[in-house]
Amino acid sequence: MADADATAWPSLSLEEVEALLCAPGQRFEMETVVIRGIPTRTWKNAPPSLRALAELSRIHGGRTAAVLEGERVRFDAQYRAIAALAAALAARGIGKGDRVATAMRNLPEWIVAFFAITSLGGIAVPLNAWWTGAELEYGLRDSGTKMLIADAERWKRIAPSRASLPDLAHVIVTRGDGGEGTERLEDVIGTPESWASLPDRPLSDMPIETDDDAVILYTSGTTGAPKGALGTHRNMVSNILSSGYAVARSFLRRGEAPPEPEPKVFLTVIPLFHATACSATLMGAMASGHTLIFMRKWDALEAMEIIQRERVNMTGGVPTIAWQLLEHPERSKFDLSSLESIAYGGAPSAPELVRRIREEFGALPGNGWGMTETMATVTTHSAEDYLNRPDSAGPPVATADLEIRADDGVTVLPPDTIGELWARGPMIVRGYWNKPEATAATFVDGWVRTGDLARIDAEGFLFIVDRAKDMVIRGGENIYSVEVENVLYAHPAVTDAALIGIPHKTLGEEPAAVVHLAPGASATEAELRDFVRARLAAFKVPVRIAFVPETLPRNATGKILKRELKALF
């Protein structure tokens, strides 16, 4: 990893970088294709389907694909398991367009199931492994799932609802006995330790088009029942070159030639049912031969042990993870020098965190913006660009367009004006599963209206200001929660913070904050309020601050559950 000067601006503009990387004949060459009637810039060299990606992964042979505690699965064994399970699913009547759900924590079997389903032309439905039985039942019913592949823990939650799921014809359970009416995955394809001895067979020859449906990922549901975002093969494989483009752009921005892609070791903390892990991380791992290391449950001490033992190059997830590694009292006992990047998304991050990752780990911080409806990557932010603009989410990748629009949804606002963020590109999903009204309201002529309040500067860097629904309006004055949260994060005692609105009789609402302090640190409510008052207008200062002993509650995608925090007041 090159040691670049964080205080110097990169030598090439974004436009110059794009012209070099996307020139005809280059790896990141683009072409315009018509998607659902709309001309769209796409990556010319992306794999045509998820099945093609699974077949491509075979070239990594004996390299380790997945690690879970004592289990290690090589790419050649993983491919044999994908092909074996695909044949088994076909024998049980699964074909093109059939929905097959997965409900399990991060396991080697998760990857095998996902690619077995999609290689047949089926639609994978990765359900949130943190959901309750009722929530899992909702996902199965809403998607019309025909088959479920679950770990024993998730199946135990779902089993009482099976009688009310008439579409669910087959259940396969891994790592435990599901009981009557189910099959054991181990009886179908064996255990991960035995996959290398499975027969070498080709994948299905069922015709698959790049814009065929491939996956239903459910939104986080922070504003109502989760909606299933219906993604295509193109949506998923676009992330491979989007991520590669971001890396190459970082090198060119500092005036260096981009290196050839090489396999890395990832400590993968984000659940695979989330778009960031499934689309942005897993797709690139299959293409480039990255090793994905899973943890049964996040623990900072165990993570440092894994980083040292496995020589992990990249990790991250949400900012809290980076903070916990930085603040851990035993960090000095571990060799974490293999870390090259710590990246995160899903929540605002403090500018102080960006600086400390670089200074204390010697790693490059990374961030970006995307959502379930974009199947992850739209903007990326890393290296010196991130160090110089720590409050930005970065510029869009070359195939994506961003606009800031006024409330009328039509007027495009000038640079550095706050409005609603709209996004367009080959990563935008088809719409919401079986929800035509919600689809029509959110997806307009190839654009997705995100609900994020943002601005774009003159150079094209995106700044997320707030979720429209999270903005606090105090007596007609708009208070963007991210702005206040970033100030709180800048206080040396604060490692987690959220701003919410609490009711006020005459002003409508007022800002209040919930804060978690670093281990051993102390701060009073008055001290933090004074800290904010010294940096922001008086009307933005939280009228109350509540302290909590644990990090703030988040959903599986890393978003703080602000609705739960209001009970503190």
Side-chain angles (χ1 to χ4, degrees), residues 373-437:
E373 289 84 347
T374 70
M375 290 292 152
T377 310
V378 176
T379 77
T380 60
H381 207 25
S382 63
E384 292 74 34
D385 275 330
Y386 196 8
L387 292 164
N388 284 309
R389 286 183 174 90
D391 53 346
S392 171
V397 298
T399 54
D401 294 313
L402 299 179
E403 289 183 352
I404 303 298
R405 298 191 187 182
D407 291 343
D408 61 12
V410 177
T411 305
V412 178
L413 300 175
D416 285 317
T417 305
I418 294 173
E420 184 179 4
L421 175 64
W422 290 58
R424 177 176 67 179
M427 67 288 294
I428 307 302
V429 303
R430 183 187 296 277
Y432 295 122
W433 177 258
N434 282 346
K435 289 182 171 54
E437 292 182 2

Side-chain angles (χ1 to χ4, degrees), residues 331-377:
R331 174 161 66 94
S332 62
K333 297 180 181 179
F334 296 91
D335 177 7
L336 308 181
S337 61
S338 62
L339 283 174
E340 299 175 12
S341 175
I342 300 177
Y344 40 79
S349 58
E352 175 72 4
L353 177 61
V354 181
R355 180 187 62 79
R356 290 188 62 184
I357 287 173
R358 182 60 170 149
E359 292 180 356
E360 299 183 35
F361 286 128
L364 291 175
N367 201 347
W369 176 85
M371 54 197 302
T372 307
E373 289 84 347
T374 70
M375 290 292 152
T377 310

Side-chain angles (χ1 to χ4, degrees), residues 44-50 52-53 56 210 233-234 237-238 240-241 287:
K44 184 175 181 178
N45 297 317
S49 69
L50 292 168
L53 178 57
L56 173 65
T210 303
H233 290 260
R234 188 189 303 277
V237 300
S238 288
I240 299 169
L241 289 169

Side-chain angles (χ1 to χ4, degrees), residues 501-539:
I502 56 175
H504 187 274
K505 184 176 180 180
T506 57
L507 296 174
E509 58 183 352
E510 288 187 305
V514 182
V515 165
H516 170 67
L517 301 179
S522 63
T524 65
E525 181 175 2
E527 177 185 347
L528 292 182
R529 294 180 72 242
D530 288 343
F531 188 78
V532 176
R533 186 178 292 107
R535 291 158 176 82
L536 295 176
F539 73 88

Side-chain angles (χ1 to χ4, degrees), residues 295 298-305 307 319-334 336 353 356 360-361 492 495 516-521 551:
M295 297 178 68
W298 167 254
D299 177 83
L301 184 62
E302 182 185 350
M304 291 188 292
E305 293 171 349
I307 292 168
T320 302
I321 287 171
W323 278 117
Q324 288 183 4
L325 292 175
L326 283 166
E327 302 286 352
H328 201 283
E330 298 187 47
R331 174 161 66 94
S332 62
K333 297 180 181 179
F334 296 91
L336 308 181
L353 177 61
R356 290 188 62 184
E360 299 183 35
F361 286 128
T495 61
H516 170 67
L517 301 179
T551 54

